[in-house]
Amino acid sequence: MKAVVQRVTRASVTVGGEQISAIGRGICVLLGISLEDTQKDLEHMVRKILNLRVFEDESGKHWSKSVMDKQYEVLCISQFTLQCVLKGNKPDFHLAMPTEQAESFYNSFLEQLRKTYRPELIKDGKFGAYMQVHIQNDGPVTIELESPAPGAATSDPKQLSKLEKQQQRKEKTRAKGPSESSKERNAPRKEDRSASSGAEGDVSSEREP
């Protein structure tokens, strides 16, 4: 799942010359749903969007408050073109979720947004319609979001740092070469002449004249 989040002073959606949704200060979310998206991706994206700190606080400090902190509005627009891949210069959309499935998934996304935030502050366009979206980007501020790929636990910065440190330790160990203990194990053993083996030089094998 991909999203482009824009901080706006206002935004609206028009279909067939009629305005169907409009918000004031807040964020406009363009959302692209892929074939592989699951409920887990949906929940991840809702959490990220609502907690994204793109607003200033009361003292004017930037990047301090989320849309929920400020009690601003959210306008969501379904945008399958975010899932395009280029074949030469032509966009291809085979990675986007088919319309029938995507509409249900998108409605679930809106429902989750409203459940997590204030329902009256969540607006949307018209799924599958040809829309004109009017966005007055504030800043401009535009943030791209993407749900983690399957099995991408290492996307967590703390986990990445841990793995990097482990790798560095391994490289240092290889650079030092064999350890002292392994050197001792691999070193040829000196002949112990005090052993009673009957070999040449063994005093117990010598006869008195």
Side-chain angles (χ1 to χ4, degrees), residues 124-136:
D124 71 306
K126 186 175 181 181
F127 186 91
Y130 192 90
M131 296 176 276
Q132 285 75 48
V133 184
H134 306 272
I135 301 171
Q136 186 166 303

Side-chain angles (χ1 to χ4, degrees), residues 52-200:
L52 191 63
R53 295 191 294 178
V54 292
F55 298 98
E56 59 186 29
D57 63 15
E58 293 71 21
S59 65
K61 183 180 179 183
H62 295 290
W63 320 114
S64 299
K65 298 291 183 180
S66 69
V67 70
M68 287 201 299
D69 293 329
K70 303 293 283 186
Q71 295 293 291
Y72 287 156
E73 295 177 289
V74 179
L75 175 62
C76 292
I77 307 295
S78 176
Q79 174 110 70
F80 74 92
T81 57
L82 285 175
Q83 293 293 344
C84 88
V85 291
L86 291 179
K87 289 187 174 181
N89 293 319
K90 182 180 179 181
D92 178 274
F93 306 110
H94 73 275
L95 295 179
M97 187 177 285
T99 303
E100 300 75 18
Q101 297 169 252
E103 184 171 10
S104 175
F105 196 93
Y106 178 68
N107 288 333
S108 296
F109 171 79
L110 290 174
E111 183 181 342
Q112 186 68 27
L113 275 176
R114 292 179 174 127
K115 183 178 177 181
T116 308
Y117 191 26
R118 293 172 53 187
E120 70 275 14
L121 297 182
I122 305 296
K123 309 290 179 63
D124 71 306
K126 186 175 181 181
F127 186 91
Y130 192 90
M131 296 176 276
Q132 285 75 48
V133 184
H134 306 272
I135 301 171
Q136 186 166 303
N137 196 326
D138 180 30
V141 173
T142 301
I143 308 292
E144 294 181 83
L145 299 176
E146 187 168 357
S147 57
T154 54
S155 61
D156 182 356
K158 291 183 180 178
Q159 185 69 11
L160 280 172
S161 178
K162 184 178 178 181
L163 291 173
E164 287 171 359
K165 287 178 181 178
Q166 289 175 348
Q167 185 62 28
Q168 288 170 1
R169 284 197 294 269
K170 288 179 182 179
E171 290 174 357
K172 285 180 181 178
T173 301
R174 285 198 295 267
K176 287 180 180 178
S179 64
E180 293 299 322
S181 58
S182 63
K183 286 180 180 179
E184 290 174 3
R185 285 197 300 269
N186 296 330
R189 294 185 178 181
K190 294 181 180 180
E191 186 178 348
D192 187 353
R193 296 184 177 276
S194 64
S196 178
S197 62
E200 184 181 353

Side-chain angles (χ1 to χ4, degrees), residues 1-3 31-34 36-38 40-46 48 83 105 144-150 152 155:
M1 185 180 289
K2 295 180 180 179
L31 187 76
I33 303 168
S34 82
E36 299 180 348
D37 286 333
T38 65
K40 188 175 180 180
D41 295 297
L42 184 155
E43 292 171 358
H44 171 89
M45 193 61 75
V46 166
K48 281 291 184 183
Q83 293 293 344
F105 196 93
E144 294 181 83
L145 299 176
E146 187 168 357
S147 57
S155 61

Side-chain angles (χ1 to χ4, degrees), residues 7-61:
R7 188 179 71 187
V8 301
T9 52
R10 63 174 178 265
S12 62
V13 184
T14 300
V15 176
E18 179 185 355
Q19 182 175 290
I20 62 171
S21 283
I23 64 169
R25 193 84 190 274
I27 57 175
C28 181
V29 179
L30 307 178
L31 187 76
I33 303 168
S34 82
L35 276 168
E36 299 180 348
D37 286 333
T38 65
Q39 181 67 23
K40 188 175 180 180
D41 295 297
L42 184 155
E43 292 171 358
H44 171 89
M45 193 61 75
V46 166
R47 187 168 58 251
K48 281 291 184 183
I49 288 168
L50 293 180
N51 290 285
L52 191 63
R53 295 191 294 178
V54 292
F55 298 98
E56 59 186 29
D57 63 15
E58 293 71 21
S59 65
K61 183 180 179 183

